Amino acid sequence: GAVVSQHPSRVICKSGTSVKIECRSLDFQATTMFWYRQFPKQSLMLMATSNEGSKATYEQGVEKDKFLINHASLTLSTLTVTSAHPEDSSFYICSAREEGASSYNSPLHFGNGTRLTVT
Amino acid sequence: LAKTTQPISMDSYEGQEVNITCSHNNIATNDYITWYQQFPSQGPRFIIQGYKTKVTNEVASLFIPADRKSSTLSLPRVSLSDTAVYYCLVGDRATNAGKSTFGDGTTLTVKP
């Protein structure tokens, strides 16, 4: 089945530094990927839609200059948390769908998430 | 985007059948209904997807009435390892860039 790989699974960084998280679709192509943030005991909150070859679309209230998204290929999207602060500590998850007519309305496939801790 | 409503939590015992219902009153004609399972510190995992009537796979069944305003995920003979949060999502890959909104989910606790 379709696999989405996310790296790293866990990262600790100091306040003020930037952290990059990678999301790869391993056996399918994805022109669109999604990034979520999840705080403890809460649901996933959609942050942005990553579009291959074009700018990401951010949800209301999400700072695009703080959460930089790059989708340079059909199998890779990256999320960079810039100038991270302790309140950015969270669980970040990406997802993607298989493309193509035969996969119409195929379900989302999720990465295993990245636990970011900013000290 | 269609909003979904689920019970916040449910308890069950090993070996029992568990039914989790999701309400989605404003589901659109092209929307599919998809259920996901999430364990702590992991990404959600696909369980089952359907459009109408009944869908069954090796792990669950999904019942969707004719008006499609709700759906019920049925887990047969649950085990302790089924303890997780279950989310129902409603959406269509062709609209809204295929994005769906996660509701609060249902925390299922299976007891021995």
Side-chain angles (χ1 to χ4, degrees), chain B residues 2 5-6 21-22 25 28 32 34 36-37 41 45 50-51 54 59 62 67 75-76 80 85 87 93 106 111-112:
Chain B
T5 304
Q6 304 172 231
T21 297
C22 179
N25 291 318
Y32 278 68
T34 312
Y36 295 88
Q37 175 193 56
S41 296
R45 183 175 71 99
Y51 182 81
K54 176 183 174 182
V59 298
L62 178 60
D67 66 6
L75 304 172
L80 296 177
V85 180
Y87 295 97
R93 69 167 296 152
T106 298
K111 303 175 182 178

Side-chain angles (χ1 to χ4, degrees), chain A residues 7 21 25 27 40 42 56 66 71 84 90 98 104-105 108 111:
Chain A
H7 179 80
I21 302 169
S25 55
D27 49 2
Q42 293 187 23
K66 180 166 189 62
H71 194 153
S90 188
E98 295 180 71
Y104 184 79
N105 232 72
L108 291 167

